[in-house]
Short mmCIF file of all heavy atoms in Angstrom, two decimals:
data_model
loop_
_atom_site.label_atom_id
_atom_site.label_comp_id
_atom_site.label_asym_id
_atom_site.label_seq_id
_atom_site.Cartn_x
_atom_site.Cartn_y
_atom_site.Cartn_z
N SER A 4 96.26 83.72 123.26
CA SER A 4 97.55 82.99 123.07
C SER A 4 98.68 83.61 123.79
O SER A 4 99.55 82.93 124.35
CB SER A 4 97.95 82.93 121.57
OG SER A 4 96.96 82.25 120.83
N TRP A 5 98.77 84.99 123.84
CA TRP A 5 99.92 85.69 124.36
C TRP A 5 99.62 86.54 125.58
O TRP A 5 100.54 87.12 126.14
CB TRP A 5 100.49 86.53 123.29
CG TRP A 5 101.05 85.71 122.13
CD1 TRP A 5 100.41 85.44 120.95
CD2 TRP A 5 102.30 85.11 122.07
NE1 TRP A 5 101.19 84.71 120.14
CE2 TRP A 5 102.37 84.44 120.88
CE3 TRP A 5 103.36 84.95 122.98
CZ2 TRP A 5 103.52 83.70 120.47
CZ3 TRP A 5 104.48 84.22 122.62
CH2 TRP A 5 104.56 83.59 121.32
N GLY A 6 98.40 86.64 126.01
CA GLY A 6 97.99 87.56 127.05
C GLY A 6 98.72 87.42 128.43
O GLY A 6 98.80 88.43 129.12
N SER A 7 99.22 86.26 128.72
CA SER A 7 99.92 86.15 130.02
C SER A 7 101.33 86.68 129.98
O SER A 7 101.93 86.94 130.99
CB SER A 7 99.95 84.63 130.47
OG SER A 7 100.71 83.88 129.57
N ALA A 8 101.86 86.89 128.77
CA ALA A 8 103.16 87.49 128.59
C ALA A 8 103.20 88.91 128.08
O ALA A 8 104.18 89.67 128.30
CB ALA A 8 104.00 86.55 127.71
N TYR A 9 102.16 89.29 127.36
CA TYR A 9 102.11 90.59 126.70
C TYR A 9 100.70 91.21 126.85
O TYR A 9 99.72 90.51 126.79
CB TYR A 9 102.35 90.46 125.21
CG TYR A 9 103.68 89.91 124.81
CD1 TYR A 9 103.89 88.51 124.75
CD2 TYR A 9 104.79 90.72 124.55
CE1 TYR A 9 105.09 87.94 124.37
CE2 TYR A 9 106.01 90.15 124.16
CZ TYR A 9 106.14 88.71 124.05
OH TYR A 9 107.36 88.19 123.74
N GLY A 10 100.68 92.51 127.07
CA GLY A 10 99.44 93.24 127.00
C GLY A 10 99.25 93.64 125.50
O GLY A 10 100.19 94.13 124.90
N ILE A 11 98.13 93.31 124.90
CA ILE A 11 97.98 93.44 123.43
C ILE A 11 96.70 94.27 123.17
O ILE A 11 95.64 94.02 123.69
CB ILE A 11 97.91 92.07 122.78
CG1 ILE A 11 99.13 91.27 123.07
CG2 ILE A 11 97.64 92.26 121.29
CD1 ILE A 11 99.02 89.85 122.65
N VAL A 12 96.88 95.25 122.26
CA VAL A 12 95.75 96.05 121.73
C VAL A 12 95.97 96.17 120.23
O VAL A 12 97.06 96.08 119.70
CB VAL A 12 95.68 97.44 122.34
CG1 VAL A 12 95.35 97.36 123.83
CG2 VAL A 12 96.98 98.28 122.15
N GLY A 13 94.86 96.37 119.51
CA GLY A 13 95.06 96.54 118.10
C GLY A 13 93.72 96.83 117.39
O GLY A 13 92.65 96.35 117.80
N ALA A 14 93.80 97.57 116.29
CA ALA A 14 92.69 97.86 115.38
C ALA A 14 93.20 98.67 114.24
O ALA A 14 94.16 99.45 114.37
CB ALA A 14 91.59 98.56 116.14
N TRP A 15 92.59 98.55 113.08
CA TRP A 15 92.81 99.41 111.95
C TRP A 15 94.23 99.71 111.61
O TRP A 15 94.64 100.87 111.49
CB TRP A 15 92.03 100.68 112.06
CG TRP A 15 90.56 100.45 112.29
CD1 TRP A 15 89.71 99.80 111.41
CD2 TRP A 15 89.81 100.81 113.40
NE1 TRP A 15 88.46 99.76 111.93
CE2 TRP A 15 88.49 100.40 113.18
CE3 TRP A 15 90.09 101.46 114.56
CZ2 TRP A 15 87.46 100.57 114.06
CZ3 TRP A 15 89.11 101.63 115.48
CH2 TRP A 15 87.79 101.19 115.24
N GLY A 16 95.07 98.67 111.49
CA GLY A 16 96.44 98.84 111.09
C GLY A 16 97.44 99.27 112.11
O GLY A 16 98.58 99.51 111.82
N THR A 17 97.00 99.28 113.39
CA THR A 17 97.93 99.57 114.51
C THR A 17 97.73 98.48 115.55
O THR A 17 96.71 98.42 116.14
CB THR A 17 97.59 100.97 115.09
OG1 THR A 17 97.72 101.94 114.07
CG2 THR A 17 98.57 101.24 116.22
N TRP A 18 98.75 97.71 115.71
CA TRP A 18 98.71 96.58 116.66
C TRP A 18 99.97 96.71 117.53
O TRP A 18 101.10 96.85 117.02
CB TRP A 18 98.77 95.23 115.85
CG TRP A 18 97.50 95.09 115.10
CD1 TRP A 18 97.23 95.65 113.88
CD2 TRP A 18 96.33 94.41 115.46
NE1 TRP A 18 95.93 95.31 113.44
CE2 TRP A 18 95.35 94.56 114.46
CE3 TRP A 18 96.00 93.66 116.60
CZ2 TRP A 18 94.13 94.02 114.53
CZ3 TRP A 18 94.73 93.09 116.69
CH2 TRP A 18 93.82 93.29 115.61
N VAL A 19 99.79 96.62 118.84
CA VAL A 19 100.80 96.88 119.80
C VAL A 19 100.81 95.82 120.91
O VAL A 19 99.72 95.58 121.42
CB VAL A 19 100.77 98.28 120.42
CG1 VAL A 19 101.89 98.54 121.44
CG2 VAL A 19 100.76 99.38 119.36
N ALA A 20 101.93 95.33 121.25
CA ALA A 20 102.08 94.44 122.38
C ALA A 20 103.10 95.00 123.35
O ALA A 20 104.13 95.55 122.89
CB ALA A 20 102.54 93.02 121.95
N ARG A 21 102.86 94.97 124.65
CA ARG A 21 103.79 95.40 125.63
C ARG A 21 104.17 94.22 126.51
O ARG A 21 103.35 93.55 127.10
CB ARG A 21 103.14 96.52 126.57
CG ARG A 21 104.09 96.99 127.58
CD ARG A 21 103.45 98.01 128.58
NE ARG A 21 102.99 99.16 127.91
CZ ARG A 21 103.74 100.30 127.81
NH1 ARG A 21 104.93 100.34 128.29
NH2 ARG A 21 103.24 101.32 127.14
N ARG A 22 105.51 93.97 126.59
CA ARG A 22 105.96 92.89 127.39
C ARG A 22 105.64 93.12 128.87
O ARG A 22 105.74 94.27 129.35
CB ARG A 22 107.52 92.76 127.29
CG ARG A 22 107.99 92.19 125.93
CD ARG A 22 109.48 92.08 125.95
NE ARG A 22 109.97 91.20 126.99
CZ ARG A 22 110.43 89.97 126.88
NH1 ARG A 22 110.45 89.45 125.62
NH2 ARG A 22 110.81 89.26 127.79
N ARG A 23 105.13 92.09 129.54
CA ARG A 23 104.71 92.29 130.87
C ARG A 23 105.89 92.31 131.90
O ARG A 23 105.73 92.79 133.02
CB ARG A 23 103.77 91.20 131.28
CG ARG A 23 102.42 91.23 130.54
CD ARG A 23 101.35 90.42 131.19
NE ARG A 23 100.14 90.42 130.40
CZ ARG A 23 99.17 91.36 130.41
NH1 ARG A 23 99.29 92.36 131.24
NH2 ARG A 23 98.10 91.21 129.70
N ASP A 24 107.04 91.89 131.44
CA ASP A 24 108.20 91.88 132.37
C ASP A 24 108.99 93.23 132.33
O ASP A 24 109.35 93.74 133.37
CB ASP A 24 109.15 90.73 132.12
CG ASP A 24 109.68 90.73 130.68
OD1 ASP A 24 109.23 91.42 129.83
OD2 ASP A 24 110.62 89.86 130.51
N ASN A 25 109.18 93.77 131.17
CA ASN A 25 110.06 94.95 131.08
C ASN A 25 109.29 96.18 130.35
O ASN A 25 109.87 97.20 130.20
CB ASN A 25 111.38 94.70 130.37
CG ASN A 25 111.25 94.27 129.03
OD1 ASN A 25 110.23 94.49 128.33
ND2 ASN A 25 112.33 93.57 128.45
N GLY A 26 108.13 95.98 129.87
CA GLY A 26 107.35 97.02 129.22
C GLY A 26 107.73 97.41 127.86
O GLY A 26 107.13 98.34 127.32
N ARG A 27 108.66 96.69 127.22
CA ARG A 27 109.07 97.01 125.87
C ARG A 27 107.89 96.82 124.97
O ARG A 27 107.13 95.87 125.04
CB ARG A 27 110.25 96.11 125.43
CG ARG A 27 110.82 96.55 124.12
CD ARG A 27 112.13 95.89 123.82
NE ARG A 27 112.04 94.43 123.60
CZ ARG A 27 111.68 93.91 122.44
NH1 ARG A 27 111.44 94.64 121.43
NH2 ARG A 27 111.57 92.57 122.35
N LEU A 28 107.78 97.75 124.01
CA LEU A 28 106.68 97.73 123.02
C LEU A 28 107.13 97.02 121.71
O LEU A 28 108.24 97.20 121.27
CB LEU A 28 106.24 99.09 122.69
CG LEU A 28 105.59 99.92 123.82
CD1 LEU A 28 105.25 101.34 123.39
CD2 LEU A 28 104.36 99.27 124.39
N ILE A 29 106.16 96.31 121.13
CA ILE A 29 106.30 95.69 119.84
C ILE A 29 105.18 96.22 118.98
O ILE A 29 104.00 96.06 119.35
CB ILE A 29 106.34 94.15 119.94
CG1 ILE A 29 107.46 93.71 120.85
CG2 ILE A 29 106.38 93.58 118.52
CD1 ILE A 29 107.37 92.23 121.25
N ASN A 30 105.47 96.82 117.87
CA ASN A 30 104.47 97.44 116.97
C ASN A 30 104.38 96.68 115.66
O ASN A 30 105.40 96.29 115.12
CB ASN A 30 104.80 98.89 116.71
CG ASN A 30 104.82 99.69 117.92
OD1 ASN A 30 103.79 99.95 118.54
ND2 ASN A 30 105.99 100.09 118.43
N ALA A 31 103.16 96.63 115.09
CA ALA A 31 103.03 95.95 113.80
C ALA A 31 101.77 96.63 113.09
O ALA A 31 100.97 97.29 113.76
CB ALA A 31 102.78 94.45 113.96
N ASP A 32 101.65 96.37 111.79
CA ASP A 32 100.58 96.97 111.07
C ASP A 32 99.45 95.92 110.80
O ASP A 32 98.47 96.31 110.17
CB ASP A 32 101.06 97.49 109.68
CG ASP A 32 101.75 96.45 108.82
OD1 ASP A 32 101.80 95.32 109.20
OD2 ASP A 32 102.23 96.86 107.76
N SER A 33 99.60 94.73 111.31
CA SER A 33 98.55 93.70 111.14
C SER A 33 98.62 92.69 112.30
O SER A 33 99.76 92.53 112.85
CB SER A 33 98.71 92.97 109.85
OG SER A 33 99.77 92.13 109.83
N PRO A 34 97.55 92.00 112.55
CA PRO A 34 97.66 90.99 113.61
C PRO A 34 98.58 89.82 113.28
O PRO A 34 99.24 89.27 114.12
CB PRO A 34 96.21 90.52 113.83
CG PRO A 34 95.48 90.94 112.58
CD PRO A 34 96.21 92.17 112.05
N ASP A 35 98.63 89.50 112.01
CA ASP A 35 99.52 88.42 111.57
C ASP A 35 100.98 88.82 111.80
O ASP A 35 101.82 88.02 112.25
CB ASP A 35 99.28 87.99 110.10
CG ASP A 35 97.95 87.33 109.91
OD1 ASP A 35 97.43 86.73 110.87
OD2 ASP A 35 97.43 87.36 108.77
N ARG A 36 101.37 90.03 111.41
CA ARG A 36 102.69 90.52 111.60
C ARG A 36 103.02 90.60 113.12
O ARG A 36 104.14 90.24 113.50
CB ARG A 36 102.85 91.90 110.92
CG ARG A 36 104.24 92.46 111.09
CD ARG A 36 105.27 91.58 110.37
NE ARG A 36 106.57 92.19 110.52
CZ ARG A 36 107.72 91.49 110.70
NH1 ARG A 36 107.70 90.22 110.61
NH2 ARG A 36 108.88 92.15 110.84
N LEU A 37 102.11 91.09 113.92
CA LEU A 37 102.34 91.14 115.37
C LEU A 37 102.59 89.72 115.90
O LEU A 37 103.54 89.52 116.70
CB LEU A 37 101.18 91.80 116.07
CG LEU A 37 101.39 92.01 117.61
CD1 LEU A 37 102.63 92.81 117.87
CD2 LEU A 37 100.16 92.58 118.23
N ARG A 38 101.84 88.76 115.45
CA ARG A 38 102.02 87.38 115.90
C ARG A 38 103.45 86.92 115.57
O ARG A 38 104.16 86.32 116.35
CB ARG A 38 101.02 86.47 115.30
CG ARG A 38 101.15 85.04 115.74
CD ARG A 38 100.11 84.08 115.04
NE ARG A 38 100.38 82.72 115.42
CZ ARG A 38 101.30 81.96 114.82
NH1 ARG A 38 102.10 82.45 113.91
NH2 ARG A 38 101.47 80.67 115.23
N GLU A 39 103.92 87.18 114.36
CA GLU A 39 105.28 86.83 113.95
C GLU A 39 106.33 87.48 114.85
O GLU A 39 107.28 86.86 115.30
CB GLU A 39 105.55 87.25 112.50
CG GLU A 39 104.77 86.52 111.44
CD GLU A 39 104.93 87.12 110.11
OE1 GLU A 39 105.78 88.06 109.90
OE2 GLU A 39 104.16 86.75 109.14
N LEU A 40 106.12 88.74 115.14
CA LEU A 40 107.06 89.46 116.00
C LEU A 40 107.04 88.96 117.43
O LEU A 40 108.08 88.90 118.09
CB LEU A 40 106.78 91.01 115.91
CG LEU A 40 107.02 91.65 114.59
CD1 LEU A 40 106.49 93.11 114.61
CD2 LEU A 40 108.46 91.58 114.22
N LEU A 41 105.85 88.60 117.93
CA LEU A 41 105.73 88.02 119.26
C LEU A 41 106.46 86.67 119.34
O LEU A 41 107.22 86.45 120.30
CB LEU A 41 104.32 87.82 119.68
CG LEU A 41 103.44 89.11 119.92
CD1 LEU A 41 102.03 88.79 120.14
CD2 LEU A 41 104.08 89.83 121.09
N LEU A 42 106.32 85.86 118.34
CA LEU A 42 107.02 84.59 118.31
C LEU A 42 108.55 84.82 118.31
O LEU A 42 109.24 84.17 119.16
CB LEU A 42 106.68 83.81 117.06
CG LEU A 42 105.31 83.13 117.05
CD1 LEU A 42 104.97 82.66 115.59
CD2 LEU A 42 105.30 81.93 118.02
N ARG A 43 108.99 85.71 117.51
CA ARG A 43 110.45 85.99 117.51
C ARG A 43 110.98 86.61 118.84
O ARG A 43 112.01 86.16 119.34
CB ARG A 43 110.77 87.01 116.34
CG ARG A 43 112.23 87.20 116.17
CD ARG A 43 112.56 88.09 114.96
NE ARG A 43 111.84 87.57 113.77
CZ ARG A 43 111.36 88.40 112.84
NH1 ARG A 43 111.52 89.70 112.93
NH2 ARG A 43 110.75 87.85 111.79
N ASP A 44 110.21 87.51 119.35
CA ASP A 44 110.59 88.13 120.60
C ASP A 44 110.64 87.12 121.78
O ASP A 44 111.57 87.04 122.52
CB ASP A 44 109.63 89.23 120.95
CG ASP A 44 109.98 89.98 122.24
OD1 ASP A 44 111.01 90.71 122.26
OD2 ASP A 44 109.27 89.79 123.26
N TYR A 45 109.65 86.30 121.81
CA TYR A 45 109.55 85.29 122.91
C TYR A 45 110.61 84.23 122.73
O TYR A 45 111.16 83.74 123.74
CB TYR A 45 108.16 84.65 122.91
CG TYR A 45 107.87 83.92 124.18
CD1 TYR A 45 107.39 84.55 125.31
CD2 TYR A 45 108.12 82.52 124.23
CE1 TYR A 45 107.17 83.85 126.50
CE2 TYR A 45 107.84 81.82 125.41
CZ TYR A 45 107.43 82.48 126.53
OH TYR A 45 107.17 81.82 127.70
N GLN A 46 110.95 83.86 121.54
CA GLN A 46 112.05 82.88 121.28
C GLN A 46 113.38 83.46 121.72
O GLN A 46 114.20 82.79 122.25
CB GLN A 46 112.08 82.44 119.84
CG GLN A 46 110.95 81.53 119.47
CD GLN A 46 110.93 81.25 117.98
OE1 GLN A 46 111.51 81.94 117.14
NE2 GLN A 46 110.19 80.22 117.61
#
């Protein structure tokens, strides 16, 4: 869903996305929370 805008890795309570334009990191403790943060960030 988000790979063209963010580099995403995650497992076992650590989920991280890095914006592809400026490198800013977004951290979450679950994939659902990361999805919420990605939506907010992208909006």
Side-chain angles (χ1 to χ4, degrees):
S4 298
W5 295 99
S7 64
Y9 300 85
I11 301 169
V12 296
W15 303 299
T17 303
W18 296 82
V19 180
R21 179 184 299 268
R22 288 181 60 104
R23 294 197 186 275
D24 60 347
N25 63 19
R27 189 168 67 82
L28 297 176
I29 300 169
N30 298 288
D32 60 2
S33 73
D35 290 336
R36 180 66 179 144
L37 184 58
R38 182 182 174 281
E39 292 171 11
L40 294 173
L41 290 172
L42 283 168
R43 186 176 309 146
D44 182 71
Y45 195 84
Q46 287 172 343

